[in-house]
Protein backbone atom coordinates (compact mmCIF):
# COMPACT_ATOMS: atom_id res chain seq x y z
CA UNK A 1 0.00 0.00 0.00
CA UNK A 2 2.88 2.35 0.86
CA UNK A 3 4.43 1.74 -2.58
CA UNK A 4 1.11 2.63 -4.25
CA UNK A 5 0.90 5.91 -2.32
CA UNK A 6 4.46 6.86 -3.29
CA UNK A 7 3.79 6.00 -6.95
CA UNK A 8 0.61 8.09 -6.95
CA UNK A 9 2.48 11.03 -5.50
CA UNK A 10 5.19 10.78 -8.19
CA UNK A 11 2.55 10.70 -10.94
CA UNK A 12 0.84 13.75 -9.46
CA UNK A 13 4.11 15.73 -9.39
CA UNK A 14 5.04 14.78 -12.93
CA UNK A 15 1.56 15.61 -14.23
CA UNK A 16 1.65 19.03 -12.59
CA UNK A 17 5.06 19.78 -14.07
CA UNK A 18 3.87 18.79 -17.54
CA UNK A 19 0.81 21.03 -17.31
CA UNK A 20 2.91 23.94 -16.09
CA UNK A 21 5.32 23.52 -19.01
CA UNK A 22 2.45 23.33 -21.50
CA UNK A 23 0.95 26.52 -20.11
CA UNK A 24 4.20 28.47 -20.58
CA UNK A 25 4.29 30.04 -24.11
CA UNK A 26 7.51 29.85 -26.06
CA UNK A 27 9.06 33.18 -26.95
CA UNK A 28 8.62 33.85 -30.69
CA UNK A 29 11.70 34.36 -32.82
CA UNK A 30 11.60 37.02 -35.51
CA UNK A 31 13.72 39.66 -37.15
CA UNK A 32 13.04 43.18 -35.92
CA UNK A 33 13.50 46.42 -37.81
CA UNK A 34 13.96 49.59 -35.86
CA UNK A 35 14.31 52.15 -38.63
CA UNK A 36 10.92 51.79 -40.30
CA UNK A 37 7.43 50.69 -39.21
CA UNK A 38 7.35 47.28 -37.49
CA UNK A 39 3.89 46.65 -36.08
CA UNK A 40 3.21 43.32 -34.37
CA UNK A 41 2.75 40.49 -36.80
CA UNK A 42 -0.41 38.47 -37.09
CA UNK A 43 -0.76 34.84 -36.14
CA UNK A 44 2.02 33.75 -38.51
CA UNK A 45 5.44 35.39 -38.34
CA UNK A 46 6.99 36.26 -41.70
CA UNK A 47 10.07 34.53 -43.01
CA UNK A 48 13.10 36.75 -43.66
CA UNK A 49 12.41 38.53 -46.95
CA UNK A 50 14.04 37.57 -50.23
CA UNK A 51 15.77 40.78 -51.33
CA UNK A 52 16.99 42.18 -54.62
CA UNK A 53 19.39 45.04 -55.25
CA UNK A 54 19.65 46.41 -58.77
CA UNK A 55 17.49 47.80 -61.56
CA UNK A 56 13.89 46.91 -62.37
CA UNK A 57 11.27 47.94 -64.89
CA UNK A 58 7.50 47.95 -64.72
CA UNK A 59 5.02 48.13 -67.54
CA UNK A 60 1.23 48.21 -67.78
CA UNK A 61 0.74 44.64 -69.03
CA UNK A 62 3.02 41.69 -68.34
CA UNK A 63 5.18 41.09 -71.45
CA UNK A 64 5.18 37.77 -73.29
CA UNK A 65 7.75 35.09 -72.45
CA UNK A 66 9.69 35.76 -75.66
CA UNK A 67 10.08 39.41 -74.65
CA UNK A 68 11.10 38.50 -71.11
CA UNK A 69 13.70 36.07 -72.42
CA UNK A 70 15.10 38.66 -74.84
CA UNK A 71 15.32 41.25 -72.07
CA UNK A 72 17.49 39.01 -69.89
CA UNK A 73 20.37 40.59 -71.80
CA UNK A 74 19.48 44.05 -70.44
CA UNK A 75 20.65 45.73 -67.24
CA UNK A 76 17.33 44.89 -65.54
CA UNK A 77 17.02 42.01 -63.10
CA UNK A 78 13.50 42.50 -61.72
CA UNK A 79 10.09 43.38 -63.13
CA UNK A 80 7.00 44.98 -61.61
CA UNK A 81 3.77 43.08 -62.31
CA UNK A 82 0.28 44.55 -61.85
CA UNK A 83 -1.25 41.40 -60.43
CA UNK A 84 -4.57 42.64 -59.02
CA UNK A 85 -6.94 45.42 -58.02
CA UNK A 86 -10.00 47.06 -59.51
CA UNK A 87 -8.07 50.18 -60.51
CA UNK A 88 -5.52 48.61 -62.85
CA UNK A 89 -4.96 50.39 -66.14
CA UNK A 90 -4.52 47.04 -67.92
CA UNK A 91 -6.90 44.65 -66.14
CA UNK A 92 -6.89 41.88 -68.76
CA UNK A 93 -3.23 40.81 -68.27
CA UNK A 94 -3.36 38.19 -71.03
CA UNK A 95 0.08 36.76 -70.23
CA UNK A 96 0.00 36.91 -66.44
CA UNK A 97 -0.77 33.54 -64.88
CA UNK A 98 0.95 31.02 -62.61
CA UNK A 99 2.83 29.38 -65.48
CA UNK A 100 4.18 32.78 -66.61
CA UNK A 101 5.33 33.63 -63.09
CA UNK A 102 7.13 30.31 -62.76
CA UNK A 103 8.71 30.61 -66.22
CA UNK A 104 10.12 34.12 -65.77
CA UNK A 105 11.35 33.29 -62.29
CA UNK A 106 13.19 30.28 -63.73
CA UNK A 107 14.77 32.63 -66.29
CA UNK A 108 16.24 34.56 -63.37
CA UNK A 109 13.79 37.46 -63.10
CA UNK A 110 12.74 38.69 -59.66
CA UNK A 111 9.17 39.97 -59.26
CA UNK A 112 7.69 43.09 -57.65
CA UNK A 113 3.91 42.55 -57.31
CA UNK A 114 1.77 45.72 -57.54
CA UNK A 115 -1.88 45.92 -56.49
CA UNK A 116 -3.92 48.84 -57.87
CA UNK A 117 -7.11 48.97 -55.84
CA UNK A 118 -9.26 51.84 -54.63
CA UNK A 119 -7.77 55.31 -54.90
CA UNK A 120 -7.79 58.53 -52.90
CA UNK A 121 -11.10 60.47 -53.09
CA UNK A 122 -9.13 63.39 -54.54
CA UNK A 123 -7.01 61.35 -56.97
CA UNK A 124 -5.67 63.57 -59.74
CA UNK A 125 -5.96 61.20 -62.69
CA UNK A 126 -9.43 61.23 -64.31
CA UNK A 127 -8.96 57.57 -65.25
CA UNK A 128 -8.69 56.62 -61.57
CA UNK A 129 -11.65 58.66 -60.24
CA UNK A 130 -14.19 55.83 -60.78
CA UNK A 131 -12.20 53.87 -58.17
CA UNK A 132 -12.28 56.53 -55.44
CA UNK A 133 -12.64 55.39 -51.84
CA UNK A 134 -16.03 55.45 -50.13
CA UNK A 135 -17.09 56.28 -46.58
CA UNK A 136 -15.49 53.23 -44.90
CA UNK A 137 -11.86 53.27 -46.01
CA UNK A 138 -10.51 50.96 -43.29
CA UNK A 139 -13.10 48.29 -44.13
CA UNK A 140 -12.34 48.70 -47.83
CA UNK A 141 -8.63 48.36 -47.12
CA UNK A 142 -9.15 45.16 -45.16
CA UNK A 143 -11.34 43.67 -47.88
CA UNK A 144 -8.99 44.57 -50.71
CA UNK A 145 -6.05 43.16 -48.77
CA UNK A 146 -7.82 39.79 -48.73
CA UNK A 147 -8.38 40.08 -52.48
CA UNK A 148 -4.70 40.90 -52.99
CA UNK A 149 -3.54 37.86 -51.02
CA UNK A 150 -5.92 35.55 -52.88
CA UNK A 151 -4.66 36.86 -56.22
CA UNK A 152 -1.04 36.50 -55.12
CA UNK A 153 -1.57 32.90 -54.00
CA UNK A 154 -3.28 32.05 -57.30
CA UNK A 155 -0.14 33.19 -59.15
CA UNK A 156 2.20 31.17 -56.92
CA UNK A 157 3.49 34.18 -54.97
CA UNK A 158 4.13 32.60 -51.60
CA UNK A 159 3.82 33.80 -48.02
CA UNK A 160 6.45 36.37 -47.10
CA UNK A 161 6.23 38.03 -50.52
CA UNK A 162 5.84 41.82 -50.62
CA UNK A 163 2.59 43.15 -52.07
CA UNK A 164 2.89 46.79 -53.15
CA UNK A 165 -0.27 48.89 -52.86
CA UNK A 166 -0.38 51.46 -55.70
CA UNK A 167 -1.94 54.79 -54.66
CA UNK A 168 -1.70 57.28 -57.51
CA UNK A 169 -0.99 60.98 -56.96
CA UNK A 170 -3.78 62.89 -55.24
CA UNK A 171 -4.60 66.56 -54.64
CA UNK A 172 -2.00 68.27 -52.48
CA UNK A 173 -3.19 70.05 -49.33
CA UNK A 174 -6.53 68.21 -48.98
CA UNK A 175 -6.31 67.06 -45.34
CA UNK A 176 -9.62 65.18 -45.32
CA UNK A 177 -8.72 63.27 -48.47
CA UNK A 178 -5.28 62.43 -47.07
CA UNK A 179 -6.83 61.14 -43.83
CA UNK A 180 -9.27 58.91 -45.70
CA UNK A 181 -6.46 57.53 -47.84
CA UNK A 182 -4.29 56.89 -44.78
CA UNK A 183 -7.09 54.87 -43.15
CA UNK A 184 -7.37 52.71 -46.26
CA UNK A 185 -3.61 52.16 -46.45
CA UNK A 186 -3.39 51.22 -42.76
CA UNK A 187 -6.31 48.78 -42.97
CA UNK A 188 -4.82 47.20 -46.07
CA UNK A 189 -1.34 46.95 -44.52
CA UNK A 190 -2.55 45.39 -41.28
CA UNK A 191 -4.58 42.71 -43.07
CA UNK A 192 -1.86 41.87 -45.60
CA UNK A 193 0.56 41.41 -42.70
CA UNK A 194 -1.94 39.31 -40.74
CA UNK A 195 -2.33 37.00 -43.75
CA UNK A 196 1.42 36.36 -43.88
CA UNK A 197 2.55 38.78 -46.60
CA UNK A 198 4.67 41.93 -46.47
CA UNK A 199 2.79 45.21 -47.09
CA UNK A 200 4.53 47.65 -49.41
CA UNK A 201 3.43 51.02 -50.76
CA UNK A 202 3.86 52.86 -54.07
CA UNK A 203 2.94 56.51 -54.62
CA UNK A 204 4.12 59.93 -55.72
CA UNK A 205 6.92 61.29 -53.55
CA UNK A 206 5.11 64.61 -53.10
CA UNK A 207 1.72 63.23 -51.98
CA UNK A 208 1.28 59.67 -50.75
CA UNK A 209 4.91 59.06 -49.83
CA UNK A 210 5.29 62.40 -48.06
CA UNK A 211 2.10 61.81 -46.04
CA UNK A 212 3.04 58.25 -45.02
CA UNK A 213 6.50 59.45 -43.99
CA UNK A 214 4.89 62.09 -41.76
CA UNK A 215 2.87 59.33 -40.09
CA UNK A 216 6.01 57.25 -39.58
CA UNK A 217 7.68 60.16 -37.80
CA UNK A 218 4.57 60.56 -35.65
CA UNK A 219 4.74 56.91 -34.58
CA UNK A 220 1.54 55.78 -36.33
CA UNK A 221 1.06 51.99 -36.44
CA UNK A 222 0.02 49.72 -39.30
CA UNK A 223 2.08 51.46 -41.96
CA UNK A 224 3.67 49.76 -44.99
CA UNK A 225 7.05 48.11 -44.47
CA UNK A 226 8.53 48.91 -47.88
CA UNK A 227 8.42 52.28 -49.67
CA UNK A 228 8.32 52.61 -53.48
CA UNK A 229 8.44 56.30 -54.35
CA UNK A 230 7.98 57.93 -57.75
CA UNK A 231 10.03 60.99 -58.63
CA UNK A 232 10.88 61.27 -62.30
CA UNK A 233 14.19 63.08 -62.61
CA UNK A 234 15.92 60.56 -64.85
CA UNK A 235 18.52 59.39 -62.36
CA UNK A 236 18.25 57.15 -59.26
CA UNK A 237 18.36 58.77 -55.82
CA UNK A 238 17.36 55.75 -53.80
CA UNK A 239 19.01 56.80 -50.56
CA UNK A 240 18.73 60.59 -50.83
CA UNK A 241 15.05 61.31 -51.49
CA UNK A 242 14.23 64.67 -49.90
CA UNK A 243 10.85 63.75 -48.37
CA UNK A 244 12.28 60.70 -46.57
CA UNK A 245 14.52 61.02 -43.56
CA UNK A 246 17.78 59.06 -43.95
CA UNK A 247 16.67 56.34 -41.52
CA UNK A 248 13.21 55.91 -43.05
CA UNK A 249 12.51 52.53 -44.63
CA UNK A 250 16.07 51.40 -44.14
CA UNK A 251 17.80 49.08 -44.63
CA UNK A 252 16.68 47.22 -47.74
CA UNK A 253 13.16 48.66 -47.93
CA UNK A 254 13.21 51.28 -50.72
CA UNK A 255 12.44 51.44 -54.43
CA UNK A 256 12.80 54.60 -56.54
CA UNK A 257 10.86 54.95 -59.78
CA UNK A 258 13.11 57.54 -61.37
CA UNK A 259 11.89 57.64 -65.00
CA UNK A 260 8.65 56.87 -66.78
CA UNK A 261 7.21 56.29 -70.25
CA UNK A 262 10.59 55.28 -71.68
CA UNK A 263 10.67 53.13 -74.81
CA UNK A 264 13.49 50.56 -74.76
CA UNK A 265 14.42 47.72 -77.09
CA UNK A 266 16.44 44.66 -76.13
CA UNK A 267 16.91 41.60 -78.27
CA UNK A 268 14.60 43.06 -80.90
CA UNK A 269 11.67 43.56 -78.50
CA UNK A 270 10.45 47.09 -77.73
CA UNK A 271 8.52 47.86 -74.51
CA UNK A 272 7.31 51.13 -72.98
CA UNK A 273 8.46 51.04 -69.35
CA UNK A 274 9.10 52.88 -66.11
CA UNK A 275 12.62 52.59 -64.68
CA UNK A 276 13.30 51.73 -61.03
CA UNK A 277 16.25 51.39 -58.67
CA UNK A 278 15.64 48.66 -56.09
CA UNK A 279 16.97 47.69 -52.68
CA UNK A 280 13.95 45.86 -51.36
CA UNK A 281 12.09 42.56 -50.94
CA UNK A 282 10.87 40.63 -53.98
CA UNK A 283 8.34 37.83 -54.35
CA UNK A 284 8.84 34.27 -53.18
CA UNK A 285 7.73 32.08 -56.08
CA UNK A 286 6.39 28.58 -55.54
CA UNK A 287 6.83 26.06 -58.38
CA UNK A 288 4.01 25.91 -60.91
CA UNK A 289 3.69 22.16 -60.32
CA UNK A 290 3.01 22.59 -56.60
CA UNK A 291 -0.48 21.43 -55.61
CA UNK A 292 -2.03 22.27 -52.27
CA UNK A 293 -5.45 21.75 -50.74
CA UNK A 294 -7.55 24.89 -50.22
CA UNK A 295 -6.80 24.90 -46.49
CA UNK A 296 -3.09 24.24 -46.82
CA UNK A 297 -0.69 27.20 -46.58
CA UNK A 298 1.49 28.13 -49.50
CA UNK A 299 4.98 26.67 -49.23
CA UNK A 300 7.59 29.33 -50.06
CA UNK A 301 10.47 28.40 -52.30
CA UNK A 302 13.88 28.39 -50.69
CA UNK A 303 15.54 31.60 -51.92
CA UNK A 304 18.51 31.31 -54.20
CA UNK A 305 21.62 33.39 -53.68
CA UNK A 306 21.55 36.43 -55.92
CA UNK A 307 24.53 38.19 -57.36
CA UNK A 308 23.49 41.82 -57.59
CA UNK A 309 25.31 45.09 -58.16
CA UNK A 310 26.35 47.15 -55.17
CA UNK A 311 25.91 50.77 -56.27
CA UNK A 312 22.60 52.23 -57.30
CA UNK A 313 23.09 55.99 -57.16
CA UNK A 314 25.25 56.17 -60.25
CA UNK A 315 24.86 58.04 -63.53
CA UNK A 316 22.64 56.39 -66.06
CA UNK A 317 24.24 53.65 -68.14
CA UNK A 318 25.18 55.15 -71.54
CA UNK A 319 22.37 54.58 -73.94
CA UNK A 320 23.03 51.61 -76.18
CA UNK A 321 22.10 51.83 -79.85
CA UNK A 322 18.97 49.80 -79.38
CA UNK A 323 17.63 51.89 -76.48
CA UNK A 324 15.34 54.72 -77.50
CA UNK A 325 13.54 57.27 -75.39
CA UNK A 326 10.12 58.21 -76.63
CA UNK A 327 10.41 61.79 -77.89
CA UNK A 328 7.01 62.71 -76.56
CA UNK A 329 4.57 60.84 -74.36
CA UNK A 330 1.35 60.11 -76.24
CA UNK A 331 -1.81 61.43 -74.71
CA UNK A 332 -4.34 58.80 -73.80
CA UNK A 333 -5.79 56.85 -70.87
CA UNK A 334 -3.80 56.90 -67.67
CA UNK A 335 -2.37 53.46 -66.90
CA UNK A 336 0.51 51.76 -65.20
CA UNK A 337 3.62 51.90 -67.34
CA UNK A 338 1.92 54.31 -69.77
CA UNK A 339 1.29 57.54 -67.91
CA UNK A 340 1.50 61.16 -69.03
CA UNK A 341 4.69 62.90 -67.96
CA UNK A 342 4.71 64.39 -64.47
CA UNK A 343 4.78 68.08 -63.78
CA UNK A 344 8.24 69.43 -62.87
CA UNK A 345 9.33 68.01 -59.51
CA UNK A 346 5.90 66.44 -59.14
CA UNK A 347 7.29 63.23 -57.68
CA UNK A 348 5.57 60.88 -60.04
CA UNK A 349 2.79 60.28 -62.51
CA UNK A 350 0.19 62.98 -63.00
CA UNK A 351 -2.30 63.50 -65.81
Amino acid sequence: MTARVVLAAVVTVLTGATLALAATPLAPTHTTRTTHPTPALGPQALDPPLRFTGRAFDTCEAPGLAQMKAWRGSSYGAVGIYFGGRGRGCPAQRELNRAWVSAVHTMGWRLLPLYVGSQAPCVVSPAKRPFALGSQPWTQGTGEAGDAVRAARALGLGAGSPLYLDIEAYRDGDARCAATTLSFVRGWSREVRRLGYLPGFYSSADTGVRDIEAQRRAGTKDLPEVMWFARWRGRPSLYSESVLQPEAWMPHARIHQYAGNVAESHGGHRILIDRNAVDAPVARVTPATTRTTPSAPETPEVPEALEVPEALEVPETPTAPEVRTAPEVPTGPDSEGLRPSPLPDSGGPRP
Side-chain angles (χ1 to χ4, degrees), residues 215-237:
Q215 295 300 317
R216 183 198 67 83
R217 294 196 304 269
T220 303
K221 297 181 180 180
D222 298 315
L223 297 181
E225 295 194 35
V226 192
M227 182 59 73
W228 188 338
F229 58 95
R231 190 182 292 283
W232 293 1
R233 289 179 174 169
R235 183 173 298 181
S237 57

Side-chain angles (χ1 to χ4, degrees), residues 37-281:
T38 55
L41 297 178
Q44 181 181 0
L46 301 181
D47 291 330
L50 175 62
R51 294 193 298 263
F52 171 80
T53 304
R55 297 182 187 274
F57 75 91
D58 65 273
T59 188
C60 187
E61 187 170 356
L65 291 178
Q67 292 172 300
M68 295 301 294
K69 184 176 181 180
W71 275 54
R72 283 301 292 152
S74 71
S75 63
Y76 300 105
V79 57
I81 55 172
Y82 292 89
F83 75 99
R86 69 191 189 107
R88 284 185 294 179
C90 296
Q93 297 293 332
R94 293 165 294 181
E95 300 289 340
L96 186 57
N97 54 41
R98 187 165 186 154
W100 184 94
V101 166
S102 180
V104 298
H105 188 261
T106 300
M107 291 178 195
W109 289 102
R110 296 299 174 252
L111 303 179
L112 299 164
L114 286 140
Y115 183 87
V116 192
S118 295
Q119 298 293 307
C122 57
V123 63
V124 173
S125 169
K128 300 300 183 188
R129 288 173 190 167
F131 312 111
L133 286 162
S135 61
Q136 296 182 311
W138 186 287
T139 301
Q140 277 188 261
T142 300
E144 292 188 30
D147 177 62
V149 168
R150 286 189 294 272
R153 287 174 177 166
L155 290 174
L157 307 177
S161 295
L163 305 180
Y164 294 93
L165 177 63
D166 183 328
I167 296 292
E168 295 294 317
Y170 51 86
R171 187 166 58 244
D172 190 16
D174 189 327
R176 184 174 180 179
C177 176
T180 298
T181 306
L182 173 64
S183 180
F184 173 76
V185 172
R186 293 180 63 209
W188 191 90
S189 297
R190 177 187 284 187
E191 184 68 1
V192 164
R193 187 180 294 108
R194 188 188 72 81
L195 294 173
Y197 286 73
L198 191 70
F201 181 72
Y202 165 91
S203 192
S204 164
D206 283 336
T207 52
V209 173
R210 181 199 59 200
D211 290 346
I212 294 294
E213 164 65 352
Q215 295 300 317
R216 183 198 67 83
R217 294 196 304 269
T220 303
K221 297 181 180 180
D222 298 315
L223 297 181
E225 295 194 35
V226 192
M227 182 59 73
W228 188 338
F229 58 95
R231 190 182 292 283
W232 293 1
R233 289 179 174 169
R235 183 173 298 181
S237 57
L238 190 58
Y239 308 116
S240 56
E241 167 52 43
S242 60
V243 303
L244 298 176
Q245 291 188 347
E247 75 278 7
W249 284 278
M250 291 286 285
H252 312 303
R254 288 189 182 191
I255 303 173
H256 178 200
Q257 187 183 85
Y258 60 92
N261 298 335
V262 180
E264 289 194 26
S265 294
H266 298 282
H269 292 269
R270 181 180 181 273
I271 308 175
L272 193 64
I273 66 167
D274 300 330
R275 293 172 174 168
N276 304 273
V278 183
D279 181 11

